[in-house]
Amino acid sequence: MAIIEVSELKKSFGDLEVLKQITFDVQKNDVVAIIGPSGSGKSTMLRSLVHLEEINGGSVRISGDYLVKDGVYPKTQEIKQVTSRMGMVFQHFELFPHLTVKENLELAPKMTKREPTDAIRRRSAELLEKVGLSDKANVYPSKLSGGQKQRVAIARALMMNPEILLFDEPTSALDPELTGEVLAVMKDLAEEHMTMIVVTHEMGFAQEVANRVIFMDKGEIVESGNPVEVLTNPQHERTKAFLNRNLK
């Protein structure tokens, strides 16, 4: 069974139709790259999976449980249970500036009180080592580079032991020389079989790491398939035009 099932998802802002009958699924351990021009609905679609955007129609199921069914949401507690299976990494890091790196990682687990403080501390230390930032545990975000901030954000998302990680343009706010260090962490996660959906402009990452690419334009899924096929032999004119602009 698919770990994520999206069916006929619709979203409008006033008269502007942002998502038009979006349908796709994601299998466990998939790495799905979502590509497309700005304004195509990629981020709105991703945010709708964790209830940061409310949709107007359609259904989303996560690990067999409905986040929303035919445009109707369940009770708040059920929504929280479903969305807790996912971690989100944002374009602009969203770290708390008044907390140290370590405190940023440990805040959510401590608030949920699911496990002892010692266990939370051990995991934060392990995850900072994993992303190569053990020496920054007691540093505040203002003292970090953009790449370091994003690696902290990834570690923070992993603190809640999510089944799925969602990335919304994780490198677009970074200087090119810092992009590689973030993509390297994401590649490691893919090799560890983390299920990921990545909205990205990094075509090299999409081709090398993803096992599926979805091209969106004007609120629709235009093309979907194997990365090599979609990126080197696209079937639709809209896909061809986008790749001609972005693979030069």
Side-chain angles (χ1 to χ4, degrees), residues 63-86:
S63 297
D65 293 325
Y66 280 103
L67 170 67
V68 56
K69 184 177 182 181
D70 299 327
V72 179
Y73 287 90
K75 294 178 181 178
T76 301
Q77 191 56 40
E78 292 176 57
I79 292 173
K80 286 182 178 177
Q81 287 175 349
V82 174
T83 57
S84 70
R85 298 168 188 164
M86 294 174 280

Side-chain angles (χ1 to χ4, degrees), residues 93-105 128 133-150 152-153:
F93 328 125
E94 307 292 342
L95 300 177
F96 293 107
H98 62 290
L99 300 180
T100 65
V101 165
K102 181 173 173 287
E103 290 167 341
N104 264 281
L105 264 65
L128 286 176
L133 292 171
S134 293
D135 60 330
K136 304 295 184 183
N138 297 308
V139 169
Y140 287 92
S142 61
K143 301 297 184 183
L144 301 177
S145 70
Q148 289 170 334
K149 289 177 185 175
Q150 196 60 292
V152 171

